[in-house]
Structures are given as C-alpha cells and as structure tokens.
C-alpha cells in the first residue's frame, strides 16, 4: 500500500514519518504522473494560496480530481483542508476554490490572535485514543454538506470531517509523535483497496 505526500510545500518529511509509523509505505510526490502508483494521497499544510498556485502550475488539479473520482482516499491537513474545500472564506471574503472536492465551507485563519498557535488533545470519532493536535493559523470548517460526517469539534467548531474517501483536519497531526489520525487514514486506504480488489 503506497500513500503519497504532495511535496509542493509543507511538512512532507513529517507526514512520511507518521504514515510509516502507521504501517504504510509513504512516498513524496513531485509530479502528477506519480499519482498512478498510489492508493492514497496526503495534502500537507502550508499556505493554501501558494499550494493552489503550485498545483495549477505543475498540473496537479485535474490529476488529483481524477484520482478522487476513482474513489482513492485523500487526506488534507490544515492548508490541505482548504485546498480540498468547495467553498473558501478568507478574512477579506470568498476566495476561489482549488480542488473543490469536499462539500464544506472553510474559514481561513479562523483562530484569534492569542490562539494562533496551540497544541491540544482531541476526541475524534472512530479513534479510541485522544489525538494530539497542533494548530497553526488554522482554518475552521464553518458548514458541511449532507454527505459530510463531522468527526471532531473544538469549542463547537468543526476541525475534522470526512466525506466518504475524503478526510480533512484543520490542524497538523504530523508535528507530533501521535500517528493515530494517520493510522485512521491508512485504514481508509486499506478498506478501499479491499473493495476495489
Ligand atoms: N493559514 C494557512 C492558510 O490559510 C494554513 C495554515 C497551515 O497550514 N498551518 O493557507
């Protein structure tokens, strides 16, 4: 089972380490052709406008939409969540979506100044142990469509959600030693493979 980490920006090595700790084989992805060898894909955090621009420049938009259409799991973390969303709200108003795959409205940089960065334990539906999470200028999920399951909230705000083969969280699970969420994603990839044969 190969899971790729989109290597345009962000904590690629940390995601690879967490995926390996979760028992998956992880590879860094720099060209769209490499998607053919993968059963799952992680889109890391960073800055979503920059990641979106680089995705357009290197031909990743259509390639990842095609990957998703095949039902192959995708996990977006922080800026990666923004890149997955159908609707994006910036501090200045609505922004163009990037991949526009997941039926949710996200608000960028949603945590106030004192809480721009913080670390906490979260209860995520479907995971028995607490998940250690690092929030860095994190987005929030303001609203989700009927097909989206909310997996975790902080102070009543959604920070983790899943729509079938798509998983998104507004924090950085890769910046801790806790591989629980990566294990959850690896399990999604494994289950999809069992179905797809
Ligand atoms: N604030 C970034 C954005 O809006 C996301 C932050 C992150 O990925 N840590 O793109």
């Amino acid at each position: 089972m190969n899971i790729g980490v989109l290597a345009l920006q962000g904590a690629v090595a940390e995601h690879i380490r967490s995926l390996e700790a979760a028992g998956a084989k992880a590879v860094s992805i720099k060209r769209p052709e490499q998607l053919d060898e993968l059963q799952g894909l992680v889109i890391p955090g960073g800055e979503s406008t920059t990641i979106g621009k680089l995705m357009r420049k290197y031909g990743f938009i259509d390639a990842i939409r095609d990957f998703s259409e095949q039902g192959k799991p995708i996990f977006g973390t922080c800026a990666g969540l923004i890149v997955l969303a159908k609707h994006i709200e910036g501090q200045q108003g609505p922004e163009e979506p990037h991949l526009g795959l997941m039926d949710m409205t996200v608000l960028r940089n949603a945590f106030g100044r004192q809480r721009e960065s913080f670390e906490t334990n979260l209860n995520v539906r479907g995971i028995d142990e607490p998940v250690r999470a690092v929030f860095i200028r994190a987005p929030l999920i303001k609203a989700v469509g009927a097909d989206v399951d909310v997996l975790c909230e902080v102070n009543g705000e959604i920070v983790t959600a899943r729509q079938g083969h798509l998983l998104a969280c507004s924090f950085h699970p890769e910046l801790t030693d806790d591989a629980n969420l990566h294990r959850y994603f690896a399990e999604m990839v494994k289950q999809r493979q069992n179905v797809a044969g």
Side-chain angles (χ1 to χ4, degrees):
M1 178 171 79
N2 281 339
I3 299 182
V5 180
L6 189 65
L8 297 175
Q9 198 199 34
V12 176
E14 288 82 352
H15 269 298
I16 288 179
R17 188 208 52 170
S18 299
L19 287 165
E20 283 171 350
K25 193 164 166 263
V27 275
S28 122
I29 299 300
K30 296 211 163 82
R31 290 172 292 106
E33 304 81 70
Q34 289 177 277
L35 292 171
D36 292 341
E37 306 147 22
L38 304 179
Q39 287 76 49
L41 178 70
V42 173
I43 305 178
E47 209 278 326
S48 54
T49 311
T50 307
I51 297 177
K53 265 188 206 147
L54 292 170
M55 284 171 103
R56 280 179 195 89
K57 180 168 172 192
Y58 294 107
F60 273 108
I61 298 281
D62 286 344
I64 296 177
R65 284 185 182 148
D66 187 57
F67 188 86
S68 173
E69 227 153 84
Q70 295 169 52
K72 293 183 181 168
I74 304 176
F75 179 20
T77 65
C78 204
L81 166 149
I82 300 167
V83 165
L84 278 180
K86 276 201 176 146
H87 309 282
I88 304 173
E89 288 287 329
Q91 298 303 327
Q92 255 61 270
E95 297 180 9
E96 275 300 299
H98 302 287
L99 288 168
L101 290 171
M102 216 170 145
D103 192 9
M104 59 185 178
T105 303
V106 301
L107 175 63
R108 294 180 63 190
N109 303 321
F111 288 92
R113 199 170 259 188
Q114 292 106 334
R115 302 190 68 211
E116 256 175 19
S117 295
F118 61 99
E119 201 171 325
T120 188
N121 283 337
L122 301 173
N123 291 319
V124 178
R125 252 180 64 202
I127 300 178
D128 292 336
E129 293 156 42
V131 170
R132 190 83 189 144
V134 179
F135 289 77
I136 305 170
R137 291 179 60 75
L140 279 179
I141 304 173
K142 295 306 282 182
V144 293
D147 293 341
V148 179
D149 292 318
V150 173
L151 301 187
C152 180
E153 291 176 65
V154 170
N155 303 330
E157 310 272 18
I158 306 167
V159 296
T160 311
R162 175 174 174 179
Q163 181 179 2
H165 66 293
L166 304 173
L167 178 68
C169 69
S170 55
F171 49 89
H172 289 260
E174 80 285 9
L175 298 182
T176 73
D177 286 334
D178 176 355
N180 274 315
L181 205 55
H182 289 83
R183 207 167 290 121
Y184 180 94
F185 180 65
E187 195 53 42
M188 280 171 62
V189 177
K190 211 183 284 168
Q191 277 173 13
R192 190 259 167 197
Q193 262 190 295
N194 290 344
V195 174

